[in-house]
Amino acid sequence: MTPKIIRTIVELRQAIAEFRKLSEDNRSVGFVPTMGYLHEGHASLLRQSASDNGLTVLSIFVNPLQFGPNEDLDKYPRDEERDIKVAATAGTNIIFIPALSEMYPNQALTHISVSEITERLCGASRPGHFDGVAIVVTKLFNIVQPDRAYFGLKDAQQLAVISQMTQDLNIPVEIVPCPILREEDGLALSSRNVYLDEDQRSQALILSQSLSASTDWIQAGISASELIAKLKAEISKAPLAKIDYVDVLTYPNLSQLNKDRPLNENNNDLLIAVAVYFGKTRLIDNRLLNPVEVGEGLCFAK
Amino acid sequence: MTPKIIRTIVELRQAIAEFRKLSEDNRSVGFVPTMGYLHEGHASLLRQSASDNGLTVLSIFVNPLQFGPNEDLDKYPRDEERDIKVAATAGTNIIFIPALSEMYPNQALTHISVSEITERLCGASRPGHFDGVAIVVTKLFNIVQPDRAYFGLKDAQQLAVISQMTQDLNIPVEIVPCPILREEDGLALSSRNVYLDEDQRSQALILSQSLSASTDWIQAGISASELIAKLKAEISKAPLAKIDYVDVLTYPNLSQLNKDRPLNENNNDLLIAVAVYFGKTRLIDNRLLNPVEVGEGLCFAK
C-alpha cells in the first residue's frame, strides 16, 4: 500500500472526511504524530494504529517550538524518502508533512502550558519544551481529529503531559501508550541514536543496563535516594557519559517520593528516568515499575 | 419545541452523535456558550444558530475560572427555569447545564493564555479573566464539537481572543460574531443590568449615548487621545459613573493607535470600548467602526 502524501491542512481534512463518509466498516481514525526519521519504534505505533483503526494518519513535522535555543533543531535528522517507505510497510494510509508556514502561518498568540508534571525531568532540563509539545499536539489533534493517538513510553513524561492535557481540555481523543522498543543489545530506539559514534554507542548501553538492574535493587529494599545514587554511580562508569538527570517519581503524576522509604513499600506506579549526554547527543531512557510487584508493568496502559 | 436538558458530558456527546448520524439534511451543529440568565441578546444568538444549523446547543455554565477573587461570582444571577423558557422559544434543541464537578472534576494542570490582545481593556482590568474564558471555551468546544459557535460583539475583546485562539490552535469551529442588542433607550443588554437601581439604570445610558456621539466626533477629525478625553468627560457627567477604562484600539488586533493622528485617517477597523462602574456593577459597551467610512460596520463579520 502506498500512503497518500498530503502537505496542507485543507487537503488532509478533506481526505479524512471522505474516509469517514465512505468507509463501510471501521470508520475510526488512528494518529501517530512524529518528527520523522522513523525507526522501528515509530513503526510499532503505526502498526498498532493500523490494527485498531480503519485509517492511520502519520504526521511528520519537526516542531521548532519544542526545541530550546541551544538544541539540535537545525541538525535534527531528516529523510523523507526513507520515512515514506517505513510508513508504507507499517500500514500507514496518509502521511501529513506540513511546511512550517502551514503549521504556524501567523504569529501565534496562544500559549498552552501544563504545570507540575512538567517541572521535573526533561521539563526542568528543557525549559519551554513541553509548552511547544502541548501546542503542536493540540493543533495536530484539531487538524486530524483522530479517535486514537499513539505515543511511545520512551517519552514517558511527554505521554503523561499529553494525557493530562487531553483530560483537562476534554479533547475527544483516546491516548494509547505503546512500549519502548529497543535494539537487541538494549539501547532504546531513538532518532538521535544516529548521532552516536562507535564508542558513544557502546557506552550508551549503560542506560538500559542500569535501569534493568534497578528492579533487583528495589526488590532488595532500596530507597529512592539510594536508587538515584546507585544509578548515577553505575552510569558514571561509562567515561563518555555526562548525566543530565536521574530520578524516580510517581507515574503519571511525576510527584516526588519519600526519599528514605524503601521503594518496594510504595503503592504508586513508579517512573525511573534518566537523561545522559554522550558527546553532544542527549539520550533518554526510562523504566515504569509497579514496585509492589517489582516487575516491569506498563502501568499507564491499564 | 421543548429543549432536552443534559447535565453530563457523556450524555451530551451521545445526543449530538445521534443527531449527526440520524439527521437527514442539515447535520451541522451550532453552539451558544453562555453563563445563563439569558436575555434577548442570548436569544438572538440562539435564533441565528437555529437558522444556520440542524441542531442548536446552548450551554449554561457560570465558569468560576473567569471571575477574579473580588468579582461577582457568588451573586451572579441565575434562573434556570426562565432560561429554559427563553431558550425554547429561540429554537434551542439541547441545553447543556453541567455541574462544576462535571466541568472541573480534578485539579486541572493545563493552562491556556492568549497574549497581546488580552493586555488591554477587560484583560488589564480583570487579570486572569481571559485565561479562564480560553480554558472553558476550549473545553466546551471539545465537548460539543460544533460546526459553528455564536458570540455577541458586546464582548468584543472576548470575541477577538476566542477568534485568535481558534485560529492559532486550528480548532475546527467557525466563530460567528453577532451584533450587540440594546434596550429601546440604547442600554446594551447584559445579565448584569439586573443589578442596577433606577438611578444607575438611567445614568448608564451615558455609555451608549457617548459611543454614538463618537462617530460624529471622528468624522470631524478628532484624534485617539482627543476621543478618549471627550468620552471620559461625557461619561463623567453622570454622577454615579466611575470609569474603569475608555479606549480606542484597532480591531481585532487591539493594538494601540497613534494617539495624535486624526482617527478618520486611519485604515484599520476600530474598537471604541468603555467599562464603567455604577455602584458595584461594572458595565461594558463598545462600538466597532470603520473610520474611513465613519459608519458602524460589523467589520469583524466580513
Side-chain angles (χ1 to χ4, degrees), chain A:
Chain A
M1 183 177 52
T2 311
K4 192 171 176 182
I5 314 292
I6 296 181
R7 296 181 192 274
T8 69
I9 294 167
V10 167
E11 281 171 279
L12 181 67
R13 282 184 170 151
Q14 269 171 0
I16 293 170
E18 206 158 304
F19 161 78
R20 289 212 194 257
K21 202 169 149 188
L22 297 180
S23 171
E24 301 217 332
D25 32 271
N26 189 345
R27 290 192 189 187
S28 69
V29 173
F31 178 44
V32 180
T34 76
M35 300 210 299
Y37 213 72
L38 303 184
H39 52 62
E40 197 48 34
H42 300 111
S44 74
L45 304 180
L46 291 165
R47 281 194 297 270
Q48 185 63 48
S49 170
S51 135
D52 295 346
N53 303 283
L55 187 86
T56 289
V57 179
L58 161 71
S59 70
I60 297 177
F61 179 63
V62 180
N63 173 37
L65 293 194
Q66 70 193 69
F67 287 80
N70 298 316
E71 291 183 356
D72 57 348
L73 172 61
D74 293 337
K75 63 165 188 153
Y76 196 85
R78 295 163 208 241
D79 189 342
E80 191 174 303
E81 209 173 313
R82 208 198 53 160
D83 284 349
I84 293 170
K85 282 182 200 151
V86 172
T89 61
T92 309
N93 304 97
I94 292 176
I95 309 182
F96 178 51
I97 315 180
L100 188 61
S101 60
E102 184 71 8
M103 288 298 286
Y104 301 112
N106 305 304
Q107 195 207 351
L109 303 179
T110 306
H111 315 279
I112 303 182
S113 61
V114 178
S115 53
E116 297 186 23
I117 53 176
T118 58
E119 281 159 22
R120 304 182 66 82
L121 308 178
C122 292
S125 299
R126 306 181 66 187
H129 169 67
F130 286 116
D131 296 354
V133 169
I135 274 283
V136 82
V137 168
T138 301
K139 286 170 70 77
L140 288 168
F141 280 2
N142 282 328
I143 291 166
V144 177
Q145 295 184 266
D147 298 278
R148 300 184 186 91
Y150 297 79
F151 293 90
L153 277 160
K154 165 86 175 335
D155 299 297
Q157 187 176 20
Q158 172 177 277
L159 179 59
V161 169
I162 291 169
S163 297
Q164 178 75 40
M165 178 181 80
T166 302
Q167 187 183 308
D168 285 347
L169 300 183
N170 302 94
I171 298 175
V173 176
E174 183 191 344
I175 305 300
V176 184
C178 297
I180 299 176
L181 260 70
R182 300 181 179 279
E183 303 282 5
E184 261 186 39
D185 60 9
L187 183 69
L189 296 190
S190 164
S191 304
R192 291 187 170 100
N193 290 349
V194 73
Y195 299 147
L196 300 171
D197 68 25
E198 208 176 319
D199 283 351
Q200 293 168 338
R201 169 72 181 74
S202 105
Q203 292 190 23
L205 292 183
I206 194 68
L207 303 189
S208 54
Q209 285 165 358
S210 58
L211 285 167
S212 277
S214 300
T215 50
D216 288 339
W217 304 338
I218 291 173
Q219 201 161 26
I222 205 171
S223 70
S225 57
E226 285 165 335
L227 174 63
I228 291 168
K230 245 174 127 66
L231 276 167
K232 283 185 175 170
E234 198 65 21
I235 291 167
S236 299
K237 287 179 188 165
L240 298 173
K242 205 185 127 209
I243 293 174
D244 177 11
Y245 64 72
V246 170
D247 213 346
V248 54
L249 300 166
T250 65
Y251 198 81
N253 294 333
L254 303 188
S255 50
Q256 294 233 48
L257 295 148
N258 180 329
K259 290 283 183 202
D260 304 318
R261 196 177 154 198
L263 286 167
N264 58 2
E265 289 176 8
N266 190 288
N267 287 315
N268 293 295
D269 291 334
L270 295 183
L271 175 72
I272 312 170
V274 302
V276 177
Y277 284 94
F278 289 89
K280 286 183 176 174
T281 305
R282 184 173 170 280
L283 299 181
I284 58 172
D285 200 351
N286 70 73
R287 195 129 192 203
L288 266 176
L289 292 176
N290 178 329
V292 177
E293 294 176 11
V294 192
E296 185 165 27
L298 296 183
C299 48
F300 197 57
K302 284 190 286 219

Side-chain angles (χ1 to χ4, degrees), chain B residues 66-188:
Chain B
Q66 71 191 69
F67 286 80
N70 299 314
E71 291 183 358
D72 57 348
L73 172 61
D74 292 336
K75 63 166 189 151
Y76 197 83
R78 294 163 206 239
D79 189 342
E80 191 174 305
E81 210 175 310
R82 210 198 51 161
D83 284 348
I84 293 170
K85 282 182 201 152
V86 172
T89 60
T92 309
N93 303 97
I94 292 176
I95 310 181
F96 178 51
I97 315 179
L100 186 62
S101 59
E102 184 72 7
M103 288 299 286
Y104 300 112
N106 306 304
Q107 197 207 350
L109 303 179
T110 306
H111 315 279
I112 303 182
S113 61
V114 178
S115 53
E116 296 187 22
I117 54 176
T118 57
E119 280 159 23
R120 304 182 64 83
L121 308 179
C122 292
S125 299
R126 305 180 67 186
H129 169 66
F130 285 116
D131 296 354
V133 169
I135 274 282
V136 81
V137 168
T138 300
K139 286 170 69 77
L140 288 167
F141 280 2
N142 282 327
I143 291 166
V144 177
Q145 295 184 267
D147 298 279
R148 301 184 185 93
Y150 297 79
F151 293 91
L153 277 160
K154 166 85 177 335
D155 299 298
Q157 188 175 19
Q158 172 178 277
L159 178 59
V161 170
I162 290 169
S163 298
Q164 178 75 40
M165 178 181 79
T166 302
Q167 188 182 309
D168 285 346
L169 300 183
N170 301 94
I171 298 174
V173 176
E174 183 192 343
I175 305 299
V176 184
C178 297
I180 299 177
L181 260 69
R182 298 180 180 280
E183 303 282 3
E184 260 185 39
D185 59 10
L187 183 70

Side-chain angles (χ1 to χ4, degrees), chain B residues 210-219 221-235 246-249 257 259-264 270-274 287 289 291:
Chain B
S210 58
L211 285 167
S212 277
S214 300
T215 50
D216 289 338
W217 303 338
I218 291 173
Q219 199 161 30
I222 204 171
S223 70
S225 57
E226 286 166 335
L227 175 63
I228 291 167
K230 245 175 127 66
L231 276 168
K232 283 185 175 170
E234 199 65 21
I235 292 167
V246 170
D247 213 346
V248 54
L249 300 166
L257 294 148
K259 291 284 183 202
D260 304 319
R261 195 176 154 199
L263 286 168
N264 59 3
L270 296 182
L271 175 72
I272 313 169
V274 301
R287 195 132 191 196
L289 292 175

